[in-house]
Amino acid sequence: NDGQAGGQGGDGAALEKVNYLTSFNTFGREAYAYVALEKGYFKDAGFDVTITPGSGTVDVLKLVAGGQADYGIGDFTATVITLGKQKLPVTTVGMIHQRSLAAIVALEGGKISKPEDLPGKKIGDQPGSTNTLMFPLYAKAAGIPSDQTKFVPNPPPALPQLLAAGTVDGIGQFVVGVPLVEKAAKKKAIVLPYGKLLPDLYGNAIITRADLAKDHPDQVKRFTGALLKGLQDTIDDPEAAAQTLKKYVPNTDVAVATEELKLMKPYVKPDDFSGPLGDVDTARVQKVIDAVKGADKEVNPALTPADVVDGALAPKG
Amino acid sequence: MIKLDGVGQVFEGRAGRVQALDGIDLHVQENEFVTLIGRSGCGKSTLLRLIAGLLPPTYGGVAVAGEPVTAPRRDVSFMFQRPALLPWRSVLSNVMLPVEISGGDLDRKKYVERAHELLELVGLDGFERRLPHELSGGMQQRVSLCRSLIRRPKVMLMDEPFSALDALTRTELSEELQRIQMELATTIVFVTHSIEEAVVLADRVVVLTPRPGRLREVVEIDIPRPRSLGQNAHLTEVAQISAHLHALLAEKQAEIRPVDAR
Amino acid sequence: MIKLDGVGQVFEGRAGRVQALDGIDLHVQENEFVTLIGRSGCGKSTLLRLIAGLLPPTYGGVAVAGEPVTAPRRDVSFMFQRPALLPWRSVLSNVMLPVEISGGDLDRKKYVERAHELLELVGLDGFERRLPHELSGGMQQRVSLCRSLIRRPKVMLMDEPFSALDALTRTELSEELQRIQMELATTIVFVTHSIEEAVVLADRVVVLTPRPGRLREVVEIDIPRPRSLGQNAHLTEVAQISAHLHALLAEKQAEIRPVDAR
Amino acid sequence: MTNRSWLTTSRSAAVLLPILGLVAAIALWWLAIVAFSIESFLLPTPGAVAAKFLEQPGYLLQQTWVSFLETILGFGLAIVAGVPIALLIVRSVILERLVYPLLLAVNAIPKIAIAPLLVVWWGFGQLPKVLMVLLVCFFPIVISTAQGMKSTPAELVELLRSLKAGKAQEFFKLRLIYALPQVFTGLKVAISLAVIGSVIGEFAGATEGLGYVITSSGATADVALAFAAIALLSVMSIILFYGLVLLEHLLLPWAQETR
Amino acid sequence: MTNRSWLTTSRSAAVLLPILGLVAAIALWWLAIVAFSIESFLLPTPGAVAAKFLEQPGYLLQQTWVSFLETILGFGLAIVAGVPIALLIVRSVILERLVYPLLLAVNAIPKIAIAPLLVVWWGFGQLPKVLMVLLVCFFPIVISTAQGMKSTPAELVELLRSLKAGKAQEFFKLRLIYALPQVFTGLKVAISLAVIGSVIGEFAGATEGLGYVITSSGATADVALAFAAIALLSVMSIILFYGLVLLEHLLLPWAQETR
Ligand SMILES: Nc1ncnc2c1ncn2[C@@H]1O[C@H](COP(=O)(O)OP(=O)(O)OP(=O)(O)O)[C@@H](O)[C@H]1O
Ligand SMILES: Nc1ncnc2c1ncn2[C@@H]1O[C@H](COP(=O)(O)OP(=O)(O)OP(=O)(O)O)[C@@H](O)[C@H]1O
Ligand SMILES: [Mg+2]
Ligand SMILES: [Mg+2]
């Protein structure tokens, strides 16, 4: 059993101190880590976890690489791109989302309601995001020209406002961000998820230091196990998970967070997916790498799945 | 021309209050030349500032040309104890300041000519383009003198205008000042520490007591003009009056104390 | 004590160069009282600044106590033409500044006493805690005088120290200065615009010509001490010498021009 | 002769008028929303912001305290580090010419771009935030102290030199004191920057502080909460500013202002 | 008697020393990387940054130009708007007390938090960036101009009053000119902020400018590119600063600095 190290509940001294970074902020979609913390899964696995809100995939990668954090969550595609350009001593050890959450979101009554509307439109997006980068692939899959849609870079927190104000026709967003957009704009949203047309793209992944993965695989396995247990609970009962999040982050809007988590479920566990939570499929990883290489010429052409994923540590069914 | 009615001035400071002036009643006639003497710190500069409208009296009334003074007037010029030159302006342009301010731009050429004349008069020709910090103390004072003369004022208030000048320049300029006064029919109140100068220049010499400054005596000088400082024709009269003034100033020395020190 | 060897000073400005001093050769003995007169702008202040080591001469050599001057010396005190008081320091603390600077903190109490004595001497007792801007012009000058006296210097350079003082205070203080000089065996170089003052105070009077300042004449004064300004016992001698000096100063007036104006 | 009325001289007016100014500003804000019918997701009404504050005053004040501490610490450090550097700059032309470009280069870095770097180097604690504050408010302090000291009148510098004052004395007994009014101008500029610096520091790797509140409000698109935090920042900034003004009045009674 | 050597007096030293300072800074940066073996994903070497610049100098200079224009425009606007406000503040205690809190409140807002707002209101063009620059560098200009004008010696103010100068004359013939050295101090602080302001403005809704280069490189962890942009910003900041220094020397030959 993996609870041995910290089995003597309450004896904090025996627990291993671990820093964990969310992918971005304390959105509802990050609730699973708090669930694992609240339910004592981390403690049972022998960890004393401190959760800190992250500020984007690249920052998370740097903080983990720099040793300030032991584990973090980041978008897998962005991770592949980053690792394809920079040698960072990090690796991924499991997936949170089996499908990419990336999507283009517009508002009902606006100029976009289906992929075919996209050419000639202005999309607000975080600079260099998965949405922007993978758009050519998405366009190809949707059968539309890829060079007629204009992406305007903007910081992520501003995107819902820009969309609501009509400054842009659509925004790059994760599907789980839709409730927030709807709340801000007070309108129904139109969602064009990439995951539907590009089923090979992963969403967020668990990131850790390369040396930790290499030297202490047991510890890593114990940690991912605990985290994924929290993830399981979260998709089983989104409402409770949102409540837990609120307990730790008082500003949380429980309704929005619940909504987010409900939306997230099919991406964590798609209908046609039968593997364990967190599963990594090396063949798919290869496809992602190839896609990234096609989209961004600066990515190291010699990049292999082993450079980005520690397959051995990923949960196996 | 200038009327002071029971004027008094009290300064409040952190370290106590100082009664600078008290109960000054004085009437200066048009075209009169009044000199003001008194020991250092007795309130001479303060009195001039009251007349100029730069300071409201704590009590009493000040009037110039029949009007109560509440603010500075265009027809009154003030030459300060310190030169107060604008450091970024050349000598010429410092002298021209009053003209610029009163918008005499129509006659600008005429005034520039006059400025050159005045500067030559005080021995500063050739220095027109220099900045104040390149001048000696006495030269700065002379620039300030020219500045106070350029606008041909009706009333001139002059606070120790010759204090930084050598004896010779002093003599020359005091003669020049008398000439200007006659020519322009100016009313002058002139502070000085030189008793001889006070006697030679004045129609009346006003003597102030030390703190608080009160009128001690007003001495009429009846020597015919023009008079000259230094080797002059009326040596004995001047010496007599000077000796009297000297004696007046020497009185009551023990009283030189600020109010709060008692 | 002070030795000047062919000293000259040229100022370069945007509006041309000015030759302030030229070929000054002067030897001041220990315990001598030298007064310096000359027309305004002739280079008196500049000469003092050279001796004080505040300005390197353009050419020539300056030595004090046998050592060439390259920087200010502790045993030389300088009283500037303007009061130069630190605006944030009270009167007392301005006077104490030289003591603080030279680290005389051991004898601080003694010096504070002396400061009070000096302030009383110049009629400023009761004003110890005031800030400079609360004082009249003459009062500021007296503070500056006290400051230059507190450290009992070997050499005192004084630039028109009494220019803003009334006749009476002037007389009192010049007597006091002679007393202090005798007591401390100080060497004094004293600039003044009052010829009478120059004669009464000096062992020798140095007369400078106007621009460029050159030595015109050095006049020995043989009147026995103590001498007094105003009503003094040697009226005729003083008047004679004064007349001579007056004549010297009046010479060559036409030359009062800066170099670049020629 | 100046016009003295109750509004310009009384002590209570000195407190009341600024408050009136703030109230007017808030009224304007409200008016703008009504006049241009600005949507609440862009700019919430003052009422909504106030309501947000009243929902959880304890929590928000706690976060304000966190940011306040960082601000004060960083600001203090900036003074401690900045004044000696200003001394060196005034002391030596050569040093000035060598050091200024360096300071300028560091100062020109958009601090937000290096906030994550500070976290990487100094962790998630208070330190990187304090350092951010230091970085942000360092330069105005250095430059205004240096300029102030350089503008000491030649006459006073000559006085000290004639007294054979050492360089240290020249600086501490004359130049620094003479420069104080200008130093305070620099501090007044710097304090506002310091407050912003703490927030920028909290944008990366923080779990408390007003900066964190602002970012995390993004997670719930809670614009009113973000503005509540911004309002608290403004209040903090105003209080610190007037604290400096008060200190200036106490320390520099000799610094005569003319109107 | 001051020590005059080639280093302190010559014109070429005035140019060479700052450059030397920069070179030393770069050397230090390199050394730090080697000494603390800082990973390149945190801080790239100067060489890598230079290489990045040489890869696409035309493009980067083009972006620099974009940011430069925004900076200059916003800075100019800030002067145009700030000086009159400073005049008003000095003119009237009542206005000062009403206006300062308002200025402080606006100034305390972390500008990065409202960058998107500007975009929403004024679109994706140059305007919101210029406004951001204005917002960022407005306050130092106002406060140093106001403080400078307030510190005009009473003696000179009295002179102008005794000449019965109007308020406008008092301000334009005396106070403003007297304040110029302090105004320049404010401008020197403001210009660095202005440069940063343009970048912050470009963080939202820009497709060009150095700020855009930084955000877009950040997204792909191209640290060297981000630092190339930051280096260009620093250079721009230094050039603008020394431009101000030059202007000051030309405009204010009377402003004597003492050392
Ligand atoms: N602003 C002020 N604050 C406080 N006290 C002042 C102020 N101005 C002048 N005084 C005091 O008022 C008195 C008179 O000062 P005033 O300058 O009028 O003297 P004065 O006769 O001109 O002296 P002097 O011949 O030395 O110039 C002095 O005791 C001085 O201390
Ligand atoms: N810093 C300077 N720059 C340029 N010229 C100067 C400077 N200082 C003095 N001068 C010039 O040198 C000459 C002598 O000046 P100085 O101050 O020594 O005269 P002074 O004899 O003390 O005059 P006063 O009796 O008026 O005080 C003057 O012509 C003056 O213009
Ligand atoms: Mg006076
Ligand atoms: Mg002189």
Side-chain angles (χ1 to χ4, degrees), chain B residues 127-165:
Chain B
F127 281 91
E128 289 86 352
R129 283 162 53 227
R130 308 238 165 211
L131 291 176
H133 78 264
E134 296 176 302
L135 305 182
S136 79
M139 290 159 91
Q140 292 179 5
Q141 197 172 38
R142 283 179 273 159
V143 174
S144 159
L145 179 67
C146 292
R147 184 177 61 195
S148 77
L149 289 175
I150 192 147
R151 226 166 39 173
R152 300 168 181 265
K154 279 233 194 73
V155 176
M156 289 178 59
L157 309 172
M158 311 184 85
D159 201 350
E160 306 188 25
F162 302 152
S163 64
L165 301 183

Side-chain angles (χ1 to χ4, degrees), chain B residues 45 81 159-160, chain C residues 136-137:
Chain B
S45 301
Q81 192 167 0
D159 201 350
E160 306 188 25
Chain C
S136 79

Side-chain angles (χ1 to χ4, degrees), chain B residues 11 20 40-46 81 160 193 211, chain C residues 134 136 138:
Chain B
F11 290 105
S40 167
C42 74
K44 303 179 294 297
S45 301
T46 305
Q81 192 167 0
E160 306 188 25
H193 279 314
R211 242 160 335 207
Chain C
E134 295 175 303
S136 79

Side-chain angles (χ1 to χ4, degrees), chain B residues 49 54 72 74 80 82 84-85 87-88 97-98 100-101 133 147 151, chain E residues 155-156 158-165 169 173-174 177-178 254 256:
Chain B
R49 292 176 66 222
L54 288 171
R74 266 262 140 101
F80 292 90
R82 302 216 295 180
L85 303 178
W88 52 87
L97 182 69
E100 271 179 45
I101 297 277
H133 78 264
R147 184 177 61 195
R151 226 166 39 173
Chain E
E155 155 183 317
L156 297 183
E158 279 211 327
L159 168 70
L160 271 266
R161 297 214 170 135
S162 82
L163 296 173
K164 213 171 168 53
Q169 289 177 319
K173 291 207 189 281
L174 174 61
I177 307 180
Y178 186 87
W254 54 271
Q256 302 277 310

Side-chain angles (χ1 to χ4, degrees), chain A residues 64-128:
Chain A
V64 172
Q68 290 295 354
D70 307 291
Y71 300 92
I73 304 296
D75 181 61
F76 185 67
T77 315
T79 304
V80 170
I81 295 168
T82 306
L83 295 183
K85 291 182 177 179
Q86 295 263 335
K87 279 228 166 308
L88 292 178
V90 296
T91 186
T92 48
V93 291
M95 296 300 166
I96 299 293
H97 307 125
Q98 294 297 332
R99 294 279 178 277
S100 170
L101 299 173
I104 286 171
V105 174
L107 291 178
E108 247 174 26
K111 292 187 197 151
I112 300 173
S113 55
K114 51 189 182 305
E116 289 71 28
D117 296 335
L118 284 171
K121 300 297 184 306
K122 237 189 262 171
I123 309 294
D125 197 2
Q126 182 183 7

